[in-house]
């Protein structure tokens, strides 16, 4: 069973930057599909960015041009570089993984995932 551990959340002023990391452990092969989601209280979890092993990232319109998703396949580590942050980016950010394409679907949003991290809080103040 894959385990996801996130780090890098925190508080920043509007216009600032943060970098989130997520490492998937418990596997000896590259995870097929990984993504970042975010959620604010009272709202549904929102897909932010997604990437397939060896592939290119795709983004939600709300973060396109400001966030950059990358991954190190050899270590199953996922990174989310967040720049030009806005107060509306405030949320708990969750890392998600589908190591074996259990859902038998392309690695694009919207998409289900079977493994989730514990979440890391990102707060952007105006």
């Amino acid at each position: 069973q894959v385990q996801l551990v996130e780090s890098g959340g925190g508080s920043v002023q509007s216009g600032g930057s943060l970098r989130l990391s997520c490492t998937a452990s418990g596997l000896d092969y590259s995870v097929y599909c990984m993504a970042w989601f975010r959620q604010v209280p009272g709202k549904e979890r929102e897909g932010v960015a997604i990437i397939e092993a060896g592939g290119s990232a795709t983004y939600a319109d709300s973060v396109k041009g400001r966030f950059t998703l990358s991954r190190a396949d050899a270590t199953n580590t996922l990174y989310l570089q967040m720049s030009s942050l806005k107060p509306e980016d405030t949320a708990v950010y969750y890392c998600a993984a589908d190591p074996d394409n259990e859902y038998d679907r392309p690695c694009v949003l919207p998409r289900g995932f079977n493994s989730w991290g514990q979440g890391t809080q990102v707060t952007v103040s105006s």
Side-chain angles (χ1 to χ4, degrees):
Q1 181 72 20
V2 64
Q3 293 184 320
L4 303 177
V5 178
E6 301 134 334
S7 62
S11 297
V12 65
Q13 289 191 328
S14 182
S17 299
L18 284 173
R19 189 194 197 204
L20 305 183
S21 300
C22 170
T23 299
S25 61
L27 297 172
D28 58 4
Y29 55 92
S30 295
V31 173
Y32 165 66
C33 184
M34 299 184 76
W36 285 99
F37 286 73
R38 64 187 182 186
Q39 189 170 24
V40 297
K43 292 189 176 182
E44 290 189 359
R45 195 168 291 189
E46 172 194 21
V48 173
I50 191 167
I51 188 168
E52 180 178 341
S56 299
T58 57
Y59 303 89
D61 288 342
S62 57
V63 306
K64 205 171 291 184
R66 300 187 298 119
F67 289 11
T68 302
L69 183 68
S70 60
R71 61 182 286 175
D73 289 342
T75 59
N76 281 327
T77 302
L78 187 68
Y79 303 98
L80 184 67
Q81 178 67 47
M82 305 184 293
S83 302
S84 301
L85 282 162
K86 305 175 181 180
E88 50 264 43
D89 295 317
T90 295
V92 177
Y93 283 70
Y94 296 92
C95 176
D98 181 3
D100 305 303
N101 197 10
E102 181 174 327
Y103 290 83
D104 193 24
R105 292 198 59 187
C107 186
V108 295
L109 292 171
R111 191 185 194 279
F113 284 86
N114 49 8
S115 296
W116 293 88
Q118 79 284 0
T120 184
Q121 177 70 45
V122 171
T123 302
V124 184
S125 58
S126 58

